[in-house]
Amino acid sequence: MSRVTQRRRVARLSADGAVSERGDTLAGEEPLEVRVNGSSFSVTMRTPGHDFDLAVGFLHGEGVVTSWSDVAQIDYRSGIGADGQRDYNVVDVTLADGVAPPDPGLERHVYTSSSCGICGTASIESVRRSGAHDLGADETAYPLASLLDLPERLRVEQAVFDRTGGVHAAGLFLPGEDGLELACLREDVGRHNAVDKVVGWALRERGMPLRGGVLQVSGRASFELVQKAVLAGIPVLSAVSAPSSLAVDLAQESGLTLIGFNRGSSLNVYCGHERVEPATSTPATTPEPAGDGPEQPRD
């Protein structure tokens, strides 16, 4: 099976004219074909590892499965590949009795790249899916300080990123005795894959909805990540970068709290601000700067 990381030789050139050769560690990237009941459903590019969770999390986002009990069996395709080794790039998912097979219209007609989770979707109508969980009923509130801590708490656990600098991360934080606790972290070259691996783990270990949970991601908040959070019943999605306009629209419609630019000392709440408890205000010690109008946001 391909490794999560691989070594390559690289030439390093500096502005002072120095040239050296050294080894570099790269994030692995391999195709993964997901089959349902023996039929090919999708091919995605991913970092090998936690493939079963990735497959089930992906199928959950596609509306094929809603719980772990919907899966009767999951395994790598039996047989030997062209190189004489077992093929670990094909995952077979057999649905339980009574679980309807996926609509042929959901089948991906082209492979999904590591940067796009909805590429190849057969129709516009099949892109947006309705969530079964009422996020509005989750009234969990979070102190601002605990939310501001999440990106750094995620970062210190990113072992593959430390070695490669080339993967995204998604972390599921759930309420515990000491506040929000990291329940699952996954890394992948694809941000949507990292989230699917987390969702697949949660489906297997805890079930849905993930009440009181916060999904912290290392990049931007796209429409597809908001949708995956909504479908999993996660009330808060926090990103270190920007959301898209459609992501904000979907979050607002779904009752999800969407946070962007969460970078240690401040964050932007695009919708669902009632779940965030602001810090205690302190009197200003410096005068407001003079100008013709309000200062433009730095984000």
Side-chain angles (χ1 to χ4, degrees):
M1 180 179 182
S2 298
R3 294 177 296 178
V4 174
T5 61
Q6 298 184 19
R7 295 286 292 177
R8 294 288 189 275
R9 300 297 296 177
V10 58
R12 185 177 183 85
L13 285 70
S14 301
D16 60 5
V19 179
S20 60
E21 189 172 299
R22 51 174 286 187
D24 195 18
T25 301
L26 306 179
E29 184 175 29
E30 297 284 343
L32 178 70
E33 179 182 356
V34 178
R35 295 182 177 180
V36 179
N37 293 344
S39 297
S40 181
F41 185 74
S42 178
V43 177
T44 186
M45 302 300 294
R46 98 299 190 191
T47 298
H50 305 289
D51 290 336
F52 292 173
D53 285 344
L54 170 58
V56 173
F58 168 72
L59 292 177
H60 179 269
E62 295 294 303
V64 178
V65 300
T66 59
S67 68
W68 190 257
S69 63
D70 289 343
V71 179
Q73 183 177 354
I74 182 168
D75 56 26
Y76 291 104
R77 184 183 65 177
S78 60
I80 304 299
D83 59 357
Q85 302 296 318
R86 182 174 296 279
D87 189 346
Y88 287 102
N89 286 332
V90 179
V91 169
D92 276 320
V93 179
T94 302
L95 301 178
D97 292 341
V99 178
D103 186 328
L106 295 178
E107 180 181 343
R108 301 297 178 92
H109 296 295
V110 298
Y111 83 91
T112 302
S113 74
S114 57
S115 62
C116 179
I118 59 174
C119 295
T121 302
S123 66
I124 292 176
E125 290 76 13
S126 61
V127 168
R128 180 172 291 217
R129 311 193 193 289
S130 299
H133 310 298
D134 181 11
L135 294 185
D138 191 333
E139 299 180 351
T140 307
Y142 309 83
L144 175 63
S146 67
L147 295 173
L148 290 172
D149 284 343
L150 297 186
E152 180 58 25
R153 292 176 63 186
L154 185 75
R155 175 65 189 86
V156 297
E157 299 292 338
Q158 291 178 239
V160 180
F161 182 86
D162 285 339
R163 298 174 64 189
T164 67
V167 291
H168 293 279
L172 175 64
F173 291 84
L174 295 174
E177 293 182 359
D178 299 318
L180 289 172
E181 298 177 355
L182 180 60
C184 178
L185 179 143
R186 296 290 184 261
E187 297 178 273
D188 199 282
V189 289
R191 60 173 60 88
H192 55 91
N193 290 339
V195 172
D196 280 339
K197 289 178 178 181
V198 168
V199 171
W201 171 89
L203 205 68
R204 172 169 52 84
E205 294 292 331
R206 305 185 68 93
M208 306 297 181
L210 296 167
R211 295 194 180 279
V214 178
L215 180 64
Q216 177 67 51
V217 297
S218 61
R220 61 186 175 86
S222 62
F223 166 85
E224 59 183 327
L225 296 195
V226 168
Q227 180 162 259
K228 290 177 187 297
V230 170
L231 293 174
I234 303 173
V236 180
L237 171 62
S238 172
V240 300
S241 191
S244 68
S245 60
L246 193 58
V248 175
D249 290 344
L250 179 60
Q252 194 160 22
E253 294 170 10
S254 306
L256 178 134
T257 296
L258 181 58
I259 294 171
F261 294 106
N262 189 347
R263 296 180 177 176
S265 61
S266 66
L267 52 78
N268 293 347
V269 183
Y270 290 86
C271 56
H273 66 275
E274 65 278 358
R275 288 195 177 98
V276 181
E277 300 174 345
T280 304
S281 60
T282 56
T285 57
T286 57
E288 292 292 331
D292 297 329
E295 184 179 358
Q296 292 296 315
R298 298 181 183 273
D299 296 325

